[in-house]
Amino acid sequence: MNLAHLHLVMNHVPTLGAVVALGLLLLAFIRRNEHLKHVGLEVLFVIAVLTLPVYVSGVAAYYEIRERPDVSVDNINIHQDAALIGFTVMEFAGFVGWVALWQTRRRGHSARGVVPAATVLLVVALAIMGRAANLGGDIRHPEIRAAGAAAPAEGDPERFITSAIKEVAVYSTWVWPAAEAVHFLGLCLSFGVLLAVNLRILGVKRQTAFADVHRLLPWGMLGFVANFITGMFFFVGQPGQYVASAPFYWKTVFLMIAGANFLYLTVFGKAWRHTEDGDGGFEASLADKAMAVSSLVAWLAVLYAGRMLPFLGKAF
Amino acid sequence: MLVGASWMLDLRLLGINRRVPLSAYRWVFPAVSIGLLVNVVTGVMLFIKNATKWGTATPFLVKMLLVIASVAVLVPLRSHVLRNDAGTEVSGNLRLLAIVSILAWTGAVTAGRLLAYLVP
């Protein structure tokens, strides 16, 4: 199975997953069921995480099929632009969903308007992703075009969003280095927070209530958002450096694991019983400790793979 | 590990999680020590590979100064945290040091990352 194949397998996840998450959230609104809402938000977060490999493998697929005579590079670019916008909105929805989950864990309910905002963003993401999926089908499936309809509109190569980002990445002398600096600062912040949270689960500083380390998660998220934005800038700006790079794929895989871990830490409920009377003393089970170790290992693997991009891969 | 753990303490000193006693932040110092040890050992190895180049590059010297400043700021912070058992109060001076620590680390990381671009 090559990466183009992986893209064909995974490309249904954002659209179908968004339908499932949306269904759960709408049902939760109708039934006024908090538990269902929670599940819907969790599904939304997972779908947002899984949308990353869909986008990344799509760019790799582009590199695999662009030489073929029966493939229009323009069609791919139109699809890619739609996918990039859909991806962005989907990540936004996932982020807002995460905020709702964090607030719910902390205060028992999310702030007003957060869940509706996530839902609206999800609807927008679904619409754009649906269009991207349709445009993607046009690349290799002439049979799905309406009879007699012309080939899809030609895009102006000068005006693709991805081309504009590439242009900035290649020709600006300071944007790339500045983004690199932000990327490193973001990882320090994220890793510091994860260290604090996971060490607490592992039994260090036992007197601290888990709620107090949970309080730090948004700071970790802030670092991650900075890294995600700058990282995607690198990837969209110079995809050729990454699509054939083994460490980049390991990095993506470990990001998926780390994302699952982060969700676990956000909604982690067991430790909270102990916090109401104000004292810490929460003892994590072996499974929780394994989760904490895997979280740190996954992040170290992300860092290692990222740092090795220029050495094992060919990024600079 | 080094920078992240320092920042966690700095954030606490600046009032994030104000009601948590400072003694709950003692884990920061072993974490910082391990991170610093690893960084110094690997850093020296990277340095001696091309000592004349790095030793004469201004951005590198700036980075070293910022690292030394960041670590130096941790010293008074450490003695304060170890001295106070259940204290939650943070004086203005400590807050100032926390701000200096955040900025110095930010500068050090930024300078370090930019070395790849500024020093050919």
Side-chain angles (χ1 to χ4, degrees), chain B residues 5-74:
Chain B
S6 300
W7 277 352
M8 290 309 107
L9 176 62
D10 295 335
L11 287 178
R12 164 64 186 83
L13 295 172
L14 289 176
I16 308 297
N17 264 346
R18 186 184 302 270
R19 61 195 183 81
V20 178
L22 282 177
S23 59
Y25 279 78
R26 286 188 181 154
W27 65 274
V28 165
F29 299 102
V32 163
S33 311
I34 296 171
L36 188 62
L37 182 73
V38 173
N39 274 8
V40 167
V41 171
T42 52
V44 167
M45 277 153 59
L46 289 169
F47 177 80
I48 54 181
K49 194 177 148 210
N50 221 334
T52 45
K53 170 182 156 189
W54 295 119
T56 53
T58 314
F60 176 78
L61 299 174
V62 170
K63 175 187 172 181
M64 284 304 107
L65 277 179
L66 286 165
V67 170
I68 292 167
S70 313
V71 176
V73 170
L74 278 169

Side-chain angles (χ1 to χ4, degrees), chain A residues 6-265:
Chain A
L6 183 69
H7 185 61
L8 291 179
V9 173
M10 289 202 69
N11 65 22
H12 306 89
V13 170
T15 37
L16 295 179
V19 170
V20 173
L22 190 59
L24 287 169
L25 286 172
L26 290 180
L27 207 58
F29 280 124
I30 295 167
R31 292 194 179 168
R32 299 183 183 284
N33 183 329
E34 285 299 311
H35 189 67
L36 207 52
K37 191 159 85 181
H38 215 233
V39 174
L41 291 169
E42 286 170 354
V43 172
L44 166 59
F45 184 85
V46 171
I47 298 303
V49 170
L50 286 175
T51 304
L52 173 68
V54 178
Y55 185 81
V56 168
S57 63
V59 177
Y62 168 78
Y63 277 79
E64 281 186 28
I65 67 167
R66 63 178 171 168
E67 308 284 336
R68 300 177 75 107
D70 54 342
V71 165
S72 149
V73 170
D74 244 15
N75 277 358
I76 303 181
N77 276 323
I78 296 169
H79 164 61
Q80 194 183 15
D81 258 21
L84 182 61
I85 302 170
F87 172 66
T88 310
V89 180
M90 183 69 90
E91 295 311 308
F92 235 117
F95 170 73
V96 177
W98 177 83
V99 171
L101 283 172
W102 180 79
Q103 289 178 334
T104 307
R105 177 70 276 167
R106 205 167 160 68
R107 303 186 198 124
H109 60 90
S110 55
R112 252 165 62 126
V114 177
V115 178
T119 310
V120 170
L121 282 166
L122 181 59
V123 171
V124 177
L126 178 58
I128 301 172
M129 275 297 183
R131 177 166 170 268
N134 200 25
L135 290 166
D138 282 343
I139 295 171
R140 293 281 280 165
H141 295 279
E143 74 276 13
I144 62 175
R145 286 176 211 146
E154 299 281 298
D156 178 356
E158 305 288 307
R159 295 187 55 197
F160 290 125
I161 304 168
T162 42
S163 318
I165 295 174
K166 282 190 185 99
E167 189 133 325
V168 173
V170 175
Y171 292 109
S172 164
T173 45
W174 62 270
V175 173
W176 188 287
E180 286 273 10
V182 171
H183 201 71
F184 274 58
L185 293 168
L187 77 85
C188 291
L189 186 57
S190 291
F191 197 74
V193 169
L194 286 159
L195 210 54
V197 179
N198 288 311
L199 285 181
R200 173 63 191 88
I201 294 179
L202 290 174
V204 180
K205 58 199 168 98
R206 240 185 220 104
Q207 77 277 29
T208 312
F210 186 76
D212 290 326
V213 283
H214 188 269
R215 164 81 181 75
L216 293 171
L217 285 178
W219 290 90
M221 190 51 140
L222 173 70
F224 181 72
V225 166
N227 275 27
F228 195 49
I229 292 171
T230 50
M232 285 314 294
F233 166 72
F234 302 139
F235 181 75
V236 176
Q238 290 276 295
Q241 287 189 18
Y242 304 106
V243 288
S245 163
F248 184 74
Y249 284 98
W250 284 113
K251 187 171 181 176
T252 312
V253 168
F254 280 107
L255 266 175
M256 300 295 102
I257 300 172
N261 261 305
F262 197 70
L263 180 62
Y264 178 82
L265 292 176

Side-chain angles (χ1 to χ4, degrees), chain B residues 10 13 72-73 76-77 92-103:
Chain B
D10 295 335
L13 295 172
V73 170
L77 293 183
N93 281 342
L94 277 180
R95 274 200 288 272
L96 190 64
L97 280 180
I99 293 172
V100 172
S101 170
I102 289 179
L103 292 179

